[in-house]
PDB file of all heavy atoms in Angstrom:
ATOM      1  N   ALA A 280     -47.600  -1.263  43.542  1.00  0.00           N
ATOM      2  CA  ALA A 280     -48.447  -0.099  42.934  1.00  0.00           C
ATOM      3  C   ALA A 280     -48.834   0.656  44.125  1.00  0.00           C
ATOM      4  O   ALA A 280     -49.122   0.233  45.280  1.00  0.00           O
ATOM      5  CB  ALA A 280     -49.582  -0.673  42.299  1.00  0.00           C
ATOM      6  N   GLU A 281     -48.907   1.939  43.955  1.00  0.00           N
ATOM      7  CA  GLU A 281     -49.080   2.842  45.038  1.00  0.00           C
ATOM      8  C   GLU A 281     -50.446   3.650  44.986  1.00  0.00           C
ATOM      9  O   GLU A 281     -51.277   3.612  45.946  1.00  0.00           O
ATOM     10  CB  GLU A 281     -48.020   3.858  45.231  1.00  0.00           C
ATOM     11  CG  GLU A 281     -46.592   3.220  45.587  1.00  0.00           C
ATOM     12  CD  GLU A 281     -45.351   4.092  45.470  1.00  0.00           C
ATOM     13  OE1 GLU A 281     -45.568   5.402  45.401  1.00  0.00           O
ATOM     14  OE2 GLU A 281     -44.217   3.476  45.653  1.00  0.00           O
ATOM     15  N   GLY A 282     -50.607   4.390  43.888  1.00  0.00           N
ATOM     16  CA  GLY A 282     -51.700   5.447  43.992  1.00  0.00           C
ATOM     17  C   GLY A 282     -53.027   4.983  43.936  1.00  0.00           C
ATOM     18  O   GLY A 282     -53.895   5.781  44.530  1.00  0.00           O
ATOM     19  N   GLY A 283     -53.403   3.924  43.402  1.00  0.00           N
ATOM     20  CA  GLY A 283     -54.823   3.476  43.470  1.00  0.00           C
ATOM     21  C   GLY A 283     -55.411   2.661  42.301  1.00  0.00           C
ATOM     22  O   GLY A 283     -54.624   2.259  41.368  1.00  0.00           O
ATOM     23  N   ILE A 284     -56.607   2.434  42.312  1.00  0.00           N
ATOM     24  CA  ILE A 284     -57.405   1.647  41.293  1.00  0.00           C
ATOM     25  C   ILE A 284     -58.509   2.490  40.719  1.00  0.00           C
ATOM     26  O   ILE A 284     -59.297   2.909  41.584  1.00  0.00           O
ATOM     27  CB  ILE A 284     -57.701   0.301  41.865  1.00  0.00           C
ATOM     28  CG1 ILE A 284     -58.556  -0.499  40.844  1.00  0.00           C
ATOM     29  CG2 ILE A 284     -58.222   0.320  43.205  1.00  0.00           C
ATOM     30  CD1 ILE A 284     -58.601  -2.000  41.270  1.00  0.00           C
ATOM     31  N   MET A 356     -60.089   7.567  41.247  1.00  0.00           N
ATOM     32  CA  MET A 356     -58.900   6.777  41.800  1.00  0.00           C
ATOM     33  C   MET A 356     -59.229   6.394  43.224  1.00  0.00           C
ATOM     34  O   MET A 356     -59.484   7.278  44.125  1.00  0.00           O
ATOM     35  CB  MET A 356     -57.755   7.622  41.756  1.00  0.00           C
ATOM     36  CG  MET A 356     -56.468   6.850  41.893  1.00  0.00           C
ATOM     37  SD  MET A 356     -56.290   5.875  40.507  1.00  0.00           S
ATOM     38  CE  MET A 356     -56.444   7.065  39.282  1.00  0.00           C
ATOM     39  N   GLN A 465     -43.938   2.069  29.187  1.00  0.00           N
ATOM     40  CA  GLN A 465     -44.348   3.189  29.989  1.00  0.00           C
ATOM     41  C   GLN A 465     -43.169   3.617  30.969  1.00  0.00           C
ATOM     42  O   GLN A 465     -42.764   2.798  31.835  1.00  0.00           O
ATOM     43  CB  GLN A 465     -45.552   3.013  30.769  1.00  0.00           C
ATOM     44  CG  GLN A 465     -45.936   4.093  31.704  1.00  0.00           C
ATOM     45  CD  GLN A 465     -47.424   4.150  32.196  1.00  0.00           C
ATOM     46  OE1 GLN A 465     -47.704   3.661  33.285  1.00  0.00           O
ATOM     47  NE2 GLN A 465     -48.168   4.562  31.309  1.00  0.00           N
ATOM     48  N   HIS A 467     -42.644   5.870  34.051  1.00  0.00           N
ATOM     49  CA  HIS A 467     -43.404   6.744  34.897  1.00  0.00           C
ATOM     50  C   HIS A 467     -42.636   8.096  35.181  1.00  0.00           C
ATOM     51  O   HIS A 467     -41.404   8.025  35.334  1.00  0.00           O
ATOM     52  CB  HIS A 467     -43.485   6.010  36.255  1.00  0.00           C
ATOM     53  CG  HIS A 467     -44.557   6.559  37.198  1.00  0.00           C
ATOM     54  ND1 HIS A 467     -44.395   7.850  37.655  1.00  0.00           N
ATOM     55  CD2 HIS A 467     -45.683   6.104  37.703  1.00  0.00           C
ATOM     56  CE1 HIS A 467     -45.409   8.113  38.589  1.00  0.00           C
ATOM     57  NE2 HIS A 467     -46.331   7.057  38.537  1.00  0.00           N
ATOM     58  N   THR A 469     -42.326  10.269  37.349  1.00  0.00           N
ATOM     59  CA  THR A 469     -41.676  10.558  38.605  1.00  0.00           C
ATOM     60  C   THR A 469     -41.062   9.417  39.399  1.00  0.00           C
ATOM     61  O   THR A 469     -41.678   8.782  40.281  1.00  0.00           O
ATOM     62  CB  THR A 469     -42.701  11.396  39.574  1.00  0.00           C
ATOM     63  OG1 THR A 469     -43.807  10.539  39.892  1.00  0.00           O
ATOM     64  CG2 THR A 469     -43.290  12.690  38.910  1.00  0.00           C
ATOM     65  N   LEU A 481     -40.640   4.401  42.852  1.00  0.00           N
ATOM     66  CA  LEU A 481     -41.827   5.081  42.434  1.00  0.00           C
ATOM     67  C   LEU A 481     -42.220   6.296  43.345  1.00  0.00           C
ATOM     68  O   LEU A 481     -42.264   6.025  44.532  1.00  0.00           O
ATOM     69  CB  LEU A 481     -42.939   4.190  42.279  1.00  0.00           C
ATOM     70  CG  LEU A 481     -44.234   4.673  41.761  1.00  0.00           C
ATOM     71  CD1 LEU A 481     -44.074   5.050  40.232  1.00  0.00           C
ATOM     72  CD2 LEU A 481     -45.301   3.509  41.787  1.00  0.00           C
ATOM     73  N   VAL A 482     -42.362   7.429  42.805  1.00  0.00           N
ATOM     74  CA  VAL A 482     -43.058   8.556  43.554  1.00  0.00           C
ATOM     75  C   VAL A 482     -44.466   8.648  42.913  1.00  0.00           C
ATOM     76  O   VAL A 482     -44.624   9.018  41.841  1.00  0.00           O
ATOM     77  CB  VAL A 482     -42.349   9.861  43.302  1.00  0.00           C
ATOM     78  CG1 VAL A 482     -43.119  11.019  44.143  1.00  0.00           C
ATOM     79  CG2 VAL A 482     -40.878   9.817  43.961  1.00  0.00           C
ATOM     80  N   THR A 483     -45.433   8.142  43.720  1.00  0.00           N
ATOM     81  CA  THR A 483     -46.797   7.952  43.279  1.00  0.00           C
ATOM     82  C   THR A 483     -47.420   9.218  42.602  1.00  0.00           C
ATOM     83  O   THR A 483     -47.196  10.284  43.018  1.00  0.00           O
ATOM     84  CB  THR A 483     -47.643   7.398  44.280  1.00  0.00           C
ATOM     85  OG1 THR A 483     -49.024   7.471  43.731  1.00  0.00           O
ATOM     86  CG2 THR A 483     -47.797   8.254  45.582  1.00  0.00           C
ATOM     87  N   GLU A 484     -48.071   8.968  41.476  1.00  0.00           N
ATOM     88  CA  GLU A 484     -48.721  10.101  40.744  1.00  0.00           C
ATOM     89  C   GLU A 484     -49.759  10.858  41.656  1.00  0.00           C
ATOM     90  O   GLU A 484     -50.136  11.975  41.485  1.00  0.00           O
ATOM     91  CB  GLU A 484     -49.574   9.477  39.649  1.00  0.00           C
ATOM     92  CG  GLU A 484     -50.020  10.458  38.572  1.00  0.00           C
ATOM     93  CD  GLU A 484     -50.476   9.757  37.256  1.00  0.00           C
ATOM     94  OE1 GLU A 484     -49.619   8.874  36.835  1.00  0.00           O
ATOM     95  OE2 GLU A 484     -51.358  10.105  36.715  1.00  0.00           O
ATOM     96  N   LYS A 485     -50.053  10.140  42.785  1.00  0.00           N
ATOM     97  CA  LYS A 485     -51.003  10.729  43.777  1.00  0.00           C
ATOM     98  C   LYS A 485     -50.521  11.965  44.352  1.00  0.00           C
ATOM     99  O   LYS A 485     -51.113  13.014  44.686  1.00  0.00           O
ATOM    100  CB  LYS A 485     -51.267   9.847  44.871  1.00  0.00           C
ATOM    101  CG  LYS A 485     -52.375  10.164  45.857  1.00  0.00           C
ATOM    102  CD  LYS A 485     -52.763   8.955  46.760  1.00  0.00           C
ATOM    103  CE  LYS A 485     -53.763   9.507  47.705  1.00  0.00           C
ATOM    104  NZ  LYS A 485     -54.191   8.458  48.735  1.00  0.00           N
ATOM    105  N   ARG A 487     -48.889  14.285  42.616  1.00  0.00           N
ATOM    106  CA  ARG A 487     -49.436  15.355  41.814  1.00  0.00           C
ATOM    107  C   ARG A 487     -50.913  15.456  41.920  1.00  0.00           C
ATOM    108  O   ARG A 487     -51.402  16.622  41.954  1.00  0.00           O
ATOM    109  CB  ARG A 487     -49.056  15.009  40.377  1.00  0.00           C
ATOM    110  CG  ARG A 487     -47.584  15.325  39.957  1.00  0.00           C
ATOM    111  CD  ARG A 487     -47.115  14.797  38.715  1.00  0.00           C
ATOM    112  NE  ARG A 487     -46.855  13.532  38.684  1.00  0.00           N
ATOM    113  CZ  ARG A 487     -47.224  12.613  37.643  1.00  0.00           C
ATOM    114  NH1 ARG A 487     -47.838  13.115  36.507  1.00  0.00           N
ATOM    115  NH2 ARG A 487     -46.896  11.477  37.731  1.00  0.00           N
ATOM    116  N   ARG A 508     -48.875  10.181  31.330  1.00  0.00           N
ATOM    117  CA  ARG A 508     -47.570   9.795  31.773  1.00  0.00           C
ATOM    118  C   ARG A 508     -46.495   9.974  30.716  1.00  0.00           C
ATOM    119  O   ARG A 508     -45.308  10.418  30.856  1.00  0.00           O
ATOM    120  CB  ARG A 508     -47.464   8.324  32.224  1.00  0.00           C
ATOM    121  CG  ARG A 508     -48.203   8.321  33.591  1.00  0.00           C
ATOM    122  CD  ARG A 508     -48.263   6.882  34.106  1.00  0.00           C
ATOM    123  NE  ARG A 508     -48.680   7.031  35.499  1.00  0.00           N
ATOM    124  CZ  ARG A 508     -48.962   5.913  36.114  1.00  0.00           C
ATOM    125  NH1 ARG A 508     -48.665   4.664  35.685  1.00  0.00           N
ATOM    126  NH2 ARG A 508     -49.517   6.040  37.369  1.00  0.00           N
ATOM    127  N   HIS A 580     -41.556   1.756  34.184  1.00  0.00           N
ATOM    128  CA  HIS A 580     -42.634   1.277  34.967  1.00  0.00           C
ATOM    129  C   HIS A 580     -43.564   0.256  34.537  1.00  0.00           C
ATOM    130  O   HIS A 580     -43.995  -0.549  35.343  1.00  0.00           O
ATOM    131  CB  HIS A 580     -43.496   2.579  35.290  1.00  0.00           C
ATOM    132  CG  HIS A 580     -44.567   2.506  36.273  1.00  0.00           C
ATOM    133  ND1 HIS A 580     -44.366   2.186  37.523  1.00  0.00           N
ATOM    134  CD2 HIS A 580     -45.953   2.612  36.240  1.00  0.00           C
ATOM    135  CE1 HIS A 580     -45.528   2.109  38.174  1.00  0.00           C
ATOM    136  NE2 HIS A 580     -46.437   2.285  37.378  1.00  0.00           N
ATOM    137  N   ARG A 615     -50.690   3.797  29.293  1.00  0.00           N
ATOM    138  CA  ARG A 615     -51.683   3.484  30.196  1.00  0.00           C
ATOM    139  C   ARG A 615     -51.916   4.550  31.298  1.00  0.00           C
ATOM    140  O   ARG A 615     -50.921   5.265  31.627  1.00  0.00           O
ATOM    141  CB  ARG A 615     -51.137   2.202  31.024  1.00  0.00           C
ATOM    142  CG  ARG A 615     -52.164   1.702  32.191  1.00  0.00           C
ATOM    143  CD  ARG A 615     -51.665   0.437  32.797  1.00  0.00           C
ATOM    144  NE  ARG A 615     -50.440   0.713  33.497  1.00  0.00           N
ATOM    145  CZ  ARG A 615     -50.332   1.329  34.724  1.00  0.00           C
ATOM    146  NH1 ARG A 615     -51.366   1.806  35.298  1.00  0.00           N
ATOM    147  NH2 ARG A 615     -49.119   1.439  35.324  1.00  0.00           N
ATOM    148  N   LEU A 616     -53.165   4.762  31.645  1.00  0.00           N
ATOM    149  CA  LEU A 616     -53.455   5.803  32.688  1.00  0.00           C
ATOM    150  C   LEU A 616     -53.350   5.174  34.143  1.00  0.00           C
ATOM    151  O   LEU A 616     -53.591   3.963  34.407  1.00  0.00           O
ATOM    152  CB  LEU A 616     -54.986   6.265  32.566  1.00  0.00           C
ATOM    153  CG  LEU A 616     -55.371   6.923  31.272  1.00  0.00           C
ATOM    154  CD1 LEU A 616     -56.789   7.455  31.467  1.00  0.00           C
ATOM    155  CD2 LEU A 616     -54.302   7.843  30.823  1.00  0.00           C
ATOM    156  N   MET A 617     -52.956   6.011  35.042  1.00  0.00           N
ATOM    157  CA  MET A 617     -52.655   5.643  36.473  1.00  0.00           C
ATOM    158  C   MET A 617     -53.953   4.872  36.984  1.00  0.00           C
ATOM    159  O   MET A 617     -55.137   5.221  36.714  1.00  0.00           O
ATOM    160  CB  MET A 617     -52.608   6.967  37.285  1.00  0.00           C
ATOM    161  CG  MET A 617     -52.652   6.600  38.724  1.00  0.00           C
ATOM    162  SD  MET A 617     -52.666   8.229  39.647  1.00  0.00           S
ATOM    163  CE  MET A 617     -52.566   7.709  41.342  1.00  0.00           C
ATOM    164  N   GLY A 618     -53.653   3.820  37.809  1.00  0.00           N
ATOM    165  CA  GLY A 618     -54.815   3.051  38.237  1.00  0.00           C
ATOM    166  C   GLY A 618     -55.529   2.102  37.373  1.00  0.00           C
ATOM    167  O   GLY A 618     -56.294   1.287  37.910  1.00  0.00           O
ATOM    168  N   ASN A 619     -55.262   2.186  36.191  1.00  0.00           N
ATOM    169  CA  ASN A 619     -55.773   1.143  35.167  1.00  0.00           C
ATOM    170  C   ASN A 619     -55.019  -0.039  35.165  1.00  0.00           C
ATOM    171  O   ASN A 619     -55.568  -1.122  34.557  1.00  0.00           O
ATOM    172  CB  ASN A 619     -56.015   1.887  33.795  1.00  0.00           C
ATOM    173  CG  ASN A 619     -57.293   2.617  33.612  1.00  0.00           C
ATOM    174  OD1 ASN A 619     -58.149   2.627  34.530  1.00  0.00           O
ATOM    175  ND2 ASN A 619     -57.399   3.305  32.461  1.00  0.00           N
ATOM    176  N   SER A 620     -53.800  -0.162  35.818  1.00  0.00           N
ATOM    177  CA  SER A 620     -53.175  -1.471  35.765  1.00  0.00           C
ATOM    178  C   SER A 620     -53.669  -2.292  36.972  1.00  0.00           C
ATOM    179  O   SER A 620     -53.996  -3.475  36.701  1.00  0.00           O
ATOM    180  CB  SER A 620     -51.699  -1.284  35.953  1.00  0.00           C
ATOM    181  OG  SER A 620     -51.073  -2.513  36.140  1.00  0.00           O
ATOM    182  N   LEU A 621     -53.808  -1.649  38.168  1.00  0.00           N
ATOM    183  CA  LEU A 621     -54.485  -2.495  39.240  1.00  0.00           C
ATOM    184  C   LEU A 621     -55.864  -2.989  38.785  1.00  0.00           C
ATOM    185  O   LEU A 621     -56.222  -4.022  39.165  1.00  0.00           O
ATOM    186  CB  LEU A 621     -54.584  -1.739  40.599  1.00  0.00           C
ATOM    187  CG  LEU A 621     -53.316  -1.511  41.345  1.00  0.00           C
ATOM    188  CD1 LEU A 621     -53.483  -0.632  42.587  1.00  0.00           C
ATOM    189  CD2 LEU A 621     -52.715  -2.898  41.842  1.00  0.00           C
TER     190      LEU A 621
HETATM  191  O1  MEZ B 985     -51.093   2.631  37.987  1.00  0.00           O
HETATM  192  C1  MEZ B 985     -50.037   2.994  38.354  1.00  0.00           C
HETATM  193  O2  MEZ B 985     -49.056   2.733  37.743  1.00  0.00           O
HETATM  194  C2  MEZ B 985     -49.927   3.720  39.674  1.00  0.00           C
HETATM  195  C3  MEZ B 985     -51.178   3.633  40.488  1.00  0.00           C
HETATM  196  C4  MEZ B 985     -48.858   4.292  39.916  1.00  0.00           C
HETATM  197  C5  MEZ B 985     -48.586   5.477  40.885  1.00  0.00           C
HETATM  198  O3  MEZ B 985     -48.202   6.528  40.438  1.00  0.00           O
HETATM  199  O4  MEZ B 985     -48.969   5.338  42.018  1.00  0.00           O
END
Side-chain angles (χ1 to χ4, degrees):
E281 293 173 10
I284 171 166
M356 197 65 54
Q465 177 159 98
H467 194 295
T469 62
L481 184 65
V482 175
T483 173
E484 196 162 319
K485 191 168 178 187
R487 280 173 282 142
R508 287 184 175 170
H580 189 57
R615 177 178 66 74
L616 301 189
M617 171 191 184
N619 273 354
S620 171
L621 277 179

